[in-house]
Amino acid sequence: IPLLAFKQCPEGYKLRGDVRYGFRCIRALYLIEYGPVAEVMRKGIRECRKDGAILPVIRNYEEDKMFMQIITGIFPENNGQIMGLVCNKKTRRLEWMDGSPVTYVNTNVADMLTLDYDCVDIDHRFVSHAANRWWSRKDPTDESWWVLLCVMPTP
């Protein structure tokens, strides 16, 4: 068993993941929070940073599945988990909050979700829908019930 499996999480966080894709310390910041997605996201980023955490970064199918299982366990019929996709104003492209590039996208074919666009000119937020098992983009003013997770960055 790798040493990371014995990692201790800060109070309020739980260790989640597996040996193959690594472990993360995760806590539910808000089980459900109602409001415009951009406003709720800003609030979540601010609160997660107090612990040195970020919103979820999803790099592959297995990580996506893990986060969806967590969300389904919290609020099965949620309208979306807000993910840590942010606009890099210099490159004008989306990237994860930890600065890594977007290399995986889970999309519904009907939505034709693409993340390769000028995010300064077109302002969207991205959410993962556990009930439907896909991601979607939202206008910043879209109001709904949202789930927010704080995730400690992987070492």
Side-chain angles (χ1 to χ4, degrees), residues 49-109:
R49 284 186 175 155
K50 289 179 183 177
D51 293 340
I54 58 176
L55 298 177
V57 171
I58 302 171
R59 293 188 181 90
N60 54 53
Y61 171 78
E62 288 76 14
E63 291 179 353
D64 195 20
K65 184 177 172 184
M66 176 187 71
F67 282 110
M68 286 191 183
Q69 287 173 341
I70 292 168
I71 297 304
T72 301
I74 294 171
F75 188 45
E77 297 165 7
N78 78 81
N79 285 329
Q81 166 198 240
I82 299 175
M83 300 184 296
L85 277 171
V86 294
C87 183
N88 180 321
K89 304 292 187 206
K90 290 180 184 174
T91 64
R92 303 176 77 88
R93 293 290 179 255
L94 291 169
E95 64 183 29
W96 292 108
M97 285 184 70
D98 66 0
S100 62
V102 178
T103 57
Y104 168 81
V105 176
N106 179 350
T107 183
N108 175 347
V109 176

